[in-house]
Amino acid sequence: LLEGICDNCVTDSGPKGITELLKILARKISSGAKVSVMAPKTRICITNTPLEPIAAFILCNLASIRENDKVLDPFAGSASVLLAASMISNSVRTVGIEIASDKFLSREKVRQDFSTRGLSQPLGLLIGNSMDSKIREEARKLIGGSEFDAIVCDPPYGIREAMSGSDSGYGGS
């Protein structure tokens, strides 16, 4: 876990060497992105169950998001994961797929969440079921037909936030 944290550190197997590396690791973590800038209370697009910012950043970090990566969130919701990816690197190209129609989720407000933070806009916020090969192909076309570098999401949609009606995309009653 501590490998590569410090370029100039001499690591020994003694407790003092590990203690120093742990201090450096703590400083590196604390100097990361400020998640408060995308806290639910600061968001324009608000849903009933938004993904907490720290969870979105953790998911993106686990996916090793880097500059110029192409990132897909197949269950985008209000785009917390895409916001976190863009905050890690504004050169990241993001695409979100969400089954909820604009009646339930304003994609314009999602885009405002990016613009008010000075982040690059998602290449697409598609309406559709990510299990449908046609919608996945549409997402790939937005990044030039290539593969995504990372698929990061908070599934499953429609479980925590109940939706019904023919407009929802869920087919519920």
Side-chain angles (χ1 to χ4, degrees):
L1 176 67
L2 301 174
E3 185 177 322
I5 292 295
C6 180
D7 296 331
N8 301 325
C9 294
V10 176
T11 57
D12 60 27
S13 58
K16 186 175 181 184
I18 296 296
T19 301
E20 291 304 310
L21 281 176
L22 288 173
K23 288 179 187 175
I24 292 168
L25 176 62
R27 283 193 294 264
K28 288 255 188 201
I29 290 171
S30 68
S31 68
K34 304 298 179 210
V35 297
S36 62
V37 301
M38 60 178 268
K41 66 181 179 183
T42 68
R43 300 280 304 274
I44 296 168
C45 181
I46 301 171
T47 59
N48 292 336
T49 57
L51 180 63
E52 289 295 324
I54 194 71
F57 277 103
I58 289 170
L59 288 170
C60 289
N61 281 324
L62 288 172
S64 300
I65 303 295
R66 305 267 188 260
E67 289 184 17
N68 301 311
D69 275 358
K70 299 174 293 273
V71 180
L72 171 67
D73 183 349
F75 312 104
S78 63
S80 295
V81 167
L82 301 181
L83 276 167
S86 293
M87 289 179 73
I88 289 171
S89 174
N90 207 19
S91 67
V92 169
R93 292 170 284 161
T94 61
V95 176
I97 301 172
E98 174 55 43
I99 199 166
S101 70
D102 283 330
K103 178 179 176 183
F104 294 97
L105 179 79
S106 170
R107 279 146 181 89
E108 180 56 36
K109 287 183 178 180
V110 170
R111 291 191 176 282
Q112 288 175 16
D113 275 326
F114 283 83
S115 60
T116 59
R117 290 165 176 78
L119 300 173
S120 59
Q121 292 287 320
L123 298 176
L125 295 170
L126 307 175
I127 300 173
N129 186 337
S130 61
M131 300 306 187
D132 181 346
S133 62
K134 290 178 185 173
I135 197 78
R136 292 193 312 268
E137 184 59 34
E138 189 177 339
R140 278 191 294 276
K141 284 180 183 176
L142 290 170
I143 59 165
S146 61
E147 295 179 355
F148 286 94
D149 298 302
I151 298 173
V152 186
C153 62
D154 175 33
Y157 53 67
I159 300 301
R160 294 185 300 166
E161 188 168 333
M163 295 177 70
S164 64
S166 60
D167 288 344
S168 70
Y170 292 99
S173 53

